[in-house]
Amino acid sequence: MVQRDERTWWGDFTLSEGQAGRWRVGPSTVWVERLANEWRLHHLQADELEPDTASEGGLATSLEIPAGASVSRFVFARTGSSIGVRPGLADRPLVVHPERPVYVMSGEEVTLYLSTPLWLRFLAGEPEKLLVELPSHRPSDTWFGPSTIEGELCYANRTAARVRLENLAQLSHRAVTPLRLSNRGADHLLVERVKLPIGFLALYRDAGGRFWTQAATLVREEKGNLASLQLSEGVPAEAGAAERVAEPRDRAEQGVALRMFGRLFSS
């Protein structure tokens, strides 16, 4: 293997023609072959319930690919020597389900630390072109909306929703989003599932190798179920001096809260 910080599996890697690389990020393993006129990618995803191991990437010592791995071919007039691997966030909103229902008491503000899977982006060519995006762990599909006509297709993501960061396991293939909940209503707020618009969030990595997104704040107003979503401008305070490693997929208008009736909280 190429000698790298095991926490930095992403970056630019050099493969000679006929060589292959292997990337293992959480439950996903990707093998990349460089041929004269094509890049060939093999992907195998294991059960996420298996123990987490340190992620790694570099030259493959062998190309023994297990049965069941999918394969994709990307053809070029001539392949270059560099393959880029980048971390990213999900390509759809995530409907986050706490493992147990959470009640936010009237007048209280709390922070839940949510863990969501990373996506792996493979790029090649001059100029660089995106070959494919692969989830380190693919969540199941879910529909979020009041009816089958109104709403959108999302991913379902179950999380422990810890209220203390030190109680959240640090996993090599997942990012942490601090979700601040403010209940200004007169009664308790039951949080059984929350739609997290992950496309508006940037991705960071702190000095300890943990991935983070910007913090999000959901405010339930005094009357009704109107909730406003506000995104922090930069890295969350809990991450310390962190580097920005991926931009948001989508852009929210500067300084404008995303306001939705009954579409952020749902029971």
Side-chain angles (χ1 to χ4, degrees):
M1 288 288 183
V2 173
Q3 295 301 310
R4 284 174 172 257
D5 178 347
E6 67 178 7
R7 298 170 303 184
T8 311
W9 47 264
W10 48 275
D12 294 312
F13 298 78
T14 299
L15 294 178
S16 300
E17 192 174 306
Q19 281 189 318
R22 187 191 69 179
W23 283 263
R24 186 172 58 197
V25 183
S28 272
T29 304
V30 181
W31 293 262
V32 178
E33 296 179 79
R34 182 196 167 195
L35 305 176
N37 303 104
E38 68 179 81
W39 291 96
R40 191 171 294 179
L41 276 72
H42 308 260
H43 179 222
L44 184 69
Q45 183 170 292
D47 189 341
E48 194 183 27
L49 297 179
E50 293 183 358
D52 185 65
T53 57
S55 297
E56 60 181 1
L59 294 178
T61 55
S62 68
L63 199 61
E64 296 180 4
I65 300 171
S70 63
V71 59
S72 300
R73 299 171 58 199
F74 303 89
V75 296
F76 291 79
R78 184 78 182 172
T79 57
S81 61
S82 179
I83 183 79
V85 186
R86 310 279 187 266
L89 295 169
D91 56 359
R92 293 184 205 157
L94 284 157
V95 177
V96 178
H97 298 254
E99 291 177 349
R100 297 174 181 84
V102 174
Y103 289 89
V104 182
M105 307 302 286
S106 174
E108 293 289 336
E109 292 188 6
V110 297
T111 298
L112 302 181
Y113 294 98
L114 309 179
S115 173
T116 59
L118 294 177
W119 258 238
L120 286 65
R121 309 179 77 239
F122 288 85
L123 305 99
E126 291 285 347
E128 206 170 50
K129 302 177 180 68
L130 177 65
L131 302 182
V132 69
E133 291 187 274
L134 300 169
S136 61
H137 167 72
R138 191 190 186 284
S140 58
D141 297 327
T142 189
W143 183 259
F144 192 93
S147 70
T148 56
I149 297 174
E150 184 180 357
E152 63 182 316
L153 185 63
C154 302
Y155 292 117
N157 184 75
R158 188 163 293 277
T159 178
R162 303 295 188 189
V163 294
R164 297 184 65 87
L165 180 61
E166 58 266 31
N167 294 333
L168 182 67
Q170 181 171 339
L171 300 177
S172 60
H173 64 289
R174 299 180 76 89
V176 177
T177 300
L179 177 65
R180 317 199 197 285
L181 300 174
S182 176
N183 182 14
R184 299 175 182 172
D187 56 352
H188 308 336
L189 173 64
L190 172 60
V191 182
E192 289 188 300
R193 60 184 196 143
V194 177
K195 186 180 79 171
L196 187 63
I198 202 83
F200 292 109
L201 302 179
L203 182 65
Y204 300 85
R205 197 193 71 158
D206 68 19
R210 173 175 260 163
F211 287 94
W212 294 82
T213 75
Q214 296 153 267
T217 301
L218 287 173
V219 180
R220 184 203 189 190
E221 305 295 349
E222 293 183 13
K223 296 181 180 179
N225 292 320
L226 177 62
S228 65
L229 172 68
Q230 300 167 341
L231 306 179
S232 65
E233 288 295 324
V235 61
E238 298 94 329
E243 62 176 324
R244 188 159 170 147
V245 297
E247 298 300 317
R249 291 179 182 269
D250 305 305
R251 292 287 181 183
E253 292 185 22
Q254 186 77 21
V256 177
L258 303 176
R259 305 182 70 86
M260 305 180 186
F261 289 86
R263 294 180 184 173
L264 293 171
F265 296 105
S266 174
S267 58

